[in-house]
Amino acid sequence: MRDLLLIDMDAFFASVEQARRPSLRGRPVVVGGRAESRGVVSTASYEARACGVRTAMPMAQAQRLCPQAVFLPVDMAAYRAAHRQLLALFGRFTELIEPVSIDEAFLDVTGSRRLFGTPRQIAAEIQRLTQAELGLSCSIGIGPTRLLAKLAAGLEKPGGLTALGGNDVSGRLRALPVRALPGIGPAAQERLRSLRIATVGDLQDVPVPLLEASFGSAAEALRERAFGGRDDVVRHGSAAPKSVSREVTFADDIHVPELLQATLLDLADRAAADLRRGGHACRTVTIKLRDAAFHTRTRQCTLSATTTATGVIYDAALALLRESQRPGERLRLLGLTLSGLSDEAEQLALDEPWRERACDDAVDRVRARYGARALHRAGAELAPHQERSRSGEGPRPRP
Amino acid sequence: MKFTCDREALVDKLLVLSRGVSTRGTLPVLSGILLQARDGRLEMCSTDLELSMKAVVPAEIERPGDVVVPARLFSDIVRNLPVAGVTVELGQGDEASGSVVVTGGSARFELNAWTATDFPQTSSFDLTGSIAVSRVPFLATLAKVARAASRDDNRPILTGVLVSVEPTGLRMVATDSYRLAVKQTTLSDGPQAEVEAIVPVKALNEVARLASGIESESIAVVISENQAVFGLGDLVIATRLIDGQFPNYRQLLPESFEHVVELDREMFLAVVRRVGLLAQKNAPLRLRFVPPTEDQPAQLVVRAITQDIGQARETLDIEYSGEELEIGFNHLYLVDGIESVDEEKLALQLITPLRPGLISGIRDGDPGTDFLYLIMPIRLSG
């Protein structure tokens, strides 16, 4: 049996802002895009949450709900720096650290008992240190599996320290709603509801054939979750991301092809750079369009070979955009996702546009030294980019 | 049709032809061998519609005629007959019934067969007007480039070798788009003709295999608009040519290189093979060229890391004065290139980690130009 901790930073972005600006402590803080450009909330401090502000809520709505809050732009560099400091701090207790995202990490402290005490003692010490050294609060879940640790961390927030053990599977766990289980999304919830399964206990008790009739081969995994998940090892370092995405919400709905193309070029440039930075190559390119009526659709294509080249990705994305954009249609959001990632180092071809390659490489190096905004593709400056969100930075949470 | 011939001679040629039959296609008759008995000899043909072969065996013809027999079974039967003489006969009077009788001693086999008219005549195997190309240089030239040809049918043109025959010599070029091999061979007795064609590497490999066993010093070659025919003694191989434009290899060769590193062929090959053991799953072999410091001479550090398996590292002292440079290659492509160099020393020429490297032998102190092996790097991350 392993001792796993899931450390979940409380209101991470907002907390980092409060930690570096003492004047903000105790006040509602909302980090996100700008309201005038239809930005959304990235993180709200607990003080702001008390007013009803939630993540992903339009910033304008947050302003209405909590006018007294301090509204700040996203400073990803600062959050990444804090993330690195946190990992270093966790590293004092174990080598087995798996960051799940910028504000979450699994720690395997099975082997740390003799040096640092019980998992609960270690967790309490980590909470004390993150507060004392970085001014940040976290909630920690302790469990023998990832799923139980993750579940435990979510039970009490902020500042919680909760353990779920094997005994809880037939006890405390049973009363929880199924949606509390990681990996059970709205669609699965809906189907479970139709089977009159509301709690984890219901899910534990349901006959397997009934579950299989509705979920097919996924039934097994579903039941496994209800019983606390599998004994899964924590791997040092990040789990591989499955995709890299960039998207833009426009301040005003846009239909001008040139502006959309410029935006797409910028998205391709940034996403391809993320891809290369992670040491990946992609095989699939997907664009996402959201129209003024909030209807979202995606179009994707598979490349003939994996690539990391901005030019190749842009060409593919542009072809998709041309195919799928309806004449005169106004778009609210444009997104680009690169998936089918492989770590296979990319074998270059003789007919490679090597000047393009050299250009990508030089761009990456300049940005690594002078920042992501240091330079952009000619043509991309037309992009009316405003709210920018991205994902794929870290791995996806795994149940 | 009725003929008698020597079992050994027949088995010999059947073995060759059996390789040319097609058993997977939609045309069952392609799994057969066409037998044509006439003019005191037996001609046998096989084809898979791309590659066709013809062999001739002396035979005593009692009644001329032709028929198609199943290749595998016919070969097995002939090989197992108890006596040296084989007689093959197609039922008289009902030639269309499609039944062939094979006898040897008291053994008698009756086989269902196809009529000859069902057999696609893909080539006339006509060697009229052929040019004679010296056998040994032809095979040596092919051996240096064949491995660089592509096996991926998605780009058919790259599954071919660009073969040029000129009075002064012979040139072959092959590329799978990741590497390119060019071999130029001077012929002292070159043909008074000039031909160029893209020949499927599969056919050329077959020519090489069969040509290495023949007595003749030369290979007869005819290249027509859509076919190449190779005469190898009593064997004739015909192949369709690949239509299209072969990549302009001269354009792919960089005009100049930044670095020239001289390496001992054997030693470099051994290091690449050894460290390459840990370059699995397409992991790159990393070559790092380190200029000399006060304490140590210039070095080539060869490394490979395979995720979840392990890593390897080996160092070679070299002459190198440029800036430190690290470039990744597929180790198998490197091995192919190094092995194709005849000289004791080879030159590895480089530009940047994203541009191709060039391998050639060093002759009289300079990189040779008769054999060039251009190899594209693997992009190293981080």
Side-chain angles (χ1 to χ4, degrees), chain A residues 8-15 18 24-31 43-55 66 68-69 103 136-139 153-160:
Chain A
D8 185 2
M9 302 311 295
D10 298 322
F12 186 53
F13 295 178
S15 300
Q18 288 174 320
L24 297 180
R25 289 181 198 161
R27 295 177 59 190
V29 173
V30 179
V31 177
T43 312
S45 72
Y46 281 87
E47 297 84 354
R49 291 185 199 191
C51 305
V53 180
R54 296 282 177 271
T55 296
C66 193
Q68 72 277 26
D103 61 353
L136 299 173
S137 156
C138 60
S139 300
L155 289 180
E156 234 178 287
K157 280 188 76 87

Side-chain angles (χ1 to χ4, degrees), chain B residues 97-130:
Chain B
S97 80
S99 182
V100 164
V101 178
V102 184
T103 50
S106 63
R108 182 176 190 279
F109 292 81
E110 204 171 319
L111 288 180
N112 290 342
W114 294 279
T115 55
T117 45
D118 290 344
F119 196 80
Q121 284 286 1
T122 50
S123 174
S124 58
F125 300 102
D126 190 0
L127 284 168
T128 319
S130 69

Side-chain angles (χ1 to χ4, degrees), chain A residues 235 275-280 305 308-309 343-352 354-361 364-365, chain B residues 155 175-180 252 281-284 307-308 329-330 333 353-356 374-382:
Chain A
R235 292 196 308 178
L275 190 71
R276 294 190 293 265
R277 187 146 28 86
H280 305 294
T308 61
D343 290 332
E344 256 174 46
E346 191 190 5
Q347 168 71 57
L348 304 181
L350 281 162
D351 46 8
E352 196 76 36
W354 63 271
R355 280 171 221 279
E356 276 270 335
R357 288 302 174 146
C359 170
D360 284 349
D361 235 46
D364 290 348
R365 282 204 299 275
Chain B
R155 290 178 74 182
T175 177
D176 61 6
S177 88
Y178 304 119
R179 63 251 175 87
L180 167 87
L252 294 174
K281 303 175 191 163
N282 295 324
Q307 202 75 48
D308 302 329
F329 288 115
N330 177 318
Y333 295 171
L354 294 178
R355 307 270 342 256
L374 196 67
I375 171 172
M376 277 306 282
I378 292 174
R379 189 177 179 281
L380 298 175
S381 55

Side-chain angles (χ1 to χ4, degrees), chain A residues 7 39 93 122 134 185 197 209 257 272-273 277 281 303 317 331 363 378:
Chain A
I7 304 181
F93 296 91
I122 293 172
L134 305 172
I197 295 170
R277 187 146 28 86
L303 304 169
L331 293 180
V363 167

Side-chain angles (χ1 to χ4, degrees), chain B residues 3 8 13 19 73 86 101 174 178 189 200 206 210 212 226 239 268 270 283 301 322 337 343 350 364 378:
Chain B
F3 66 84
E8 292 310 315
K13 294 295 183 285
R19 285 176 57 92
L73 191 57
V86 181
V101 178
Y178 304 119
D189 52 349
E206 205 60 36
L210 298 171
S212 56
N226 53 16
T239 175
F268 187 42
V301 184
E343 291 79 6
L350 302 169
D364 305 325
I378 292 174

Side-chain angles (χ1 to χ4, degrees), chain A residues 75-225:
Chain A
D75 182 357
M76 200 45 91
Y79 313 145
R80 255 187 245 129
H83 174 68
R84 282 193 295 272
Q85 288 176 312
L86 283 166
L87 292 184
L89 192 155
F90 303 157
R92 298 181 209 166
F93 296 91
T94 176
E95 283 189 328
L96 294 170
I97 301 168
E98 182 180 315
V100 184
S101 64
I102 195 163
D103 61 353
E104 264 188 20
F106 277 109
L107 271 61
D108 184 335
V109 295
T110 315
S112 312
R113 219 173 243 269
R114 287 193 172 187
L115 285 169
F116 303 105
T118 64
R120 186 171 280 278
Q121 285 167 332
I122 293 172
E125 183 63 5
I126 287 174
Q127 283 184 325
R128 192 185 68 77
L129 288 171
T130 56
Q131 190 59 255
E133 295 185 14
L134 305 172
L136 299 173
S137 156
C138 60
S139 300
I140 302 185
I142 305 172
T145 64
R146 283 165 184 273
L147 187 135
L148 287 173
K150 167 99 181 152
L151 209 51
L155 289 180
E156 234 178 287
K157 280 188 76 87
L161 203 179
T162 315
L164 284 176
N167 296 336
D168 294 308
V169 170
S170 50
R172 198 170 170 186
L173 218 57
R174 291 184 59 88
L176 296 175
V178 282
R179 67 165 181 277
L181 293 175
I184 298 195
Q189 281 171 41
E190 191 51 50
R191 265 191 283 172
L192 286 170
R193 206 175 4 256
S194 70
L195 297 174
R196 297 175 185 274
I197 295 170
T199 67
V200 176
D202 295 341
L203 186 54
Q204 289 179 354
D205 298 337
V206 70
V208 179
L210 183 62
L211 210 53
E212 275 175 351
S214 186
F215 286 89
S217 55
E220 183 64 31
L222 207 57
R223 257 176 75 85
E224 198 173 76
R225 288 200 184 118

